[in-house]
Amino acid sequence: TGAINIEALQLALLAIIERHEALRTVMLEDEDGEVFGYVIQAEGNNLIQLSDLRNIESQSEKMHNLIRKEVGLSFDISCEIPLRTHLLQLTDDEYALVLTFHHHANDGVSANI
């Protein structure tokens, strides 16, 4: 709870992405059909999708639907980083941050951190 500086949050997420190659790796295919990882530059533009749910009547249901939708979206791992962030504003000072990872960016052990 409390006010969120979205720009600072975006910079913090960008710093994490810059530090971890797995969060900047896309999967490409060469002319022989072999798939390989290619590390791209981290970009902070539009890293966080923001949804304002403050004036929604069935806020809890809408939040859960947005999370289900987010989790159900596939990644195009040939061109997008394996992390999506969605910030849901619930009240003036309450937010929920939804982080969705492609499985190739998460080793299982790190998920507990």
Side-chain angles (χ1 to χ4, degrees), residues 30-93:
D30 66 17
E31 56 277 349
D32 296 325
E34 295 293 320
V35 176
F36 64 96
Y38 180 76
V39 180
I40 61 174
Q41 287 291 99
E43 295 181 6
N45 298 344
N46 301 319
L47 186 60
I48 300 173
Q49 180 181 350
L50 179 61
S51 292
D52 187 348
L53 304 180
R54 287 178 288 185
N55 298 316
I56 304 294
E57 247 182 69
S58 54
Q59 184 187 70
S60 180
E61 181 181 342
K62 178 70 171 174
M63 180 180 72
H64 286 97
N65 287 340
L66 282 171
I67 292 170
R68 273 193 292 277
K69 180 181 176 187
E70 188 70 37
V71 170
L73 290 175
S74 62
F75 284 88
D76 182 352
I77 60 172
S78 69
C79 63
E80 69 177 304
I81 65 169
L83 167 65
R84 280 196 296 265
T85 57
H86 196 151
L87 185 63
L88 310 175
Q89 185 168 9
L90 307 175
T91 67
D92 287 341
D93 63 352

Side-chain angles (χ1 to χ4, degrees), residues 1-9 87 89 91-95:
T1 60
I4 286 189
N5 181 332
I6 295 174
E7 184 178 335
L9 177 59
L87 185 63
Q89 185 168 9
T91 67
D92 287 341
D93 63 352
E94 187 177 9
Y95 297 81

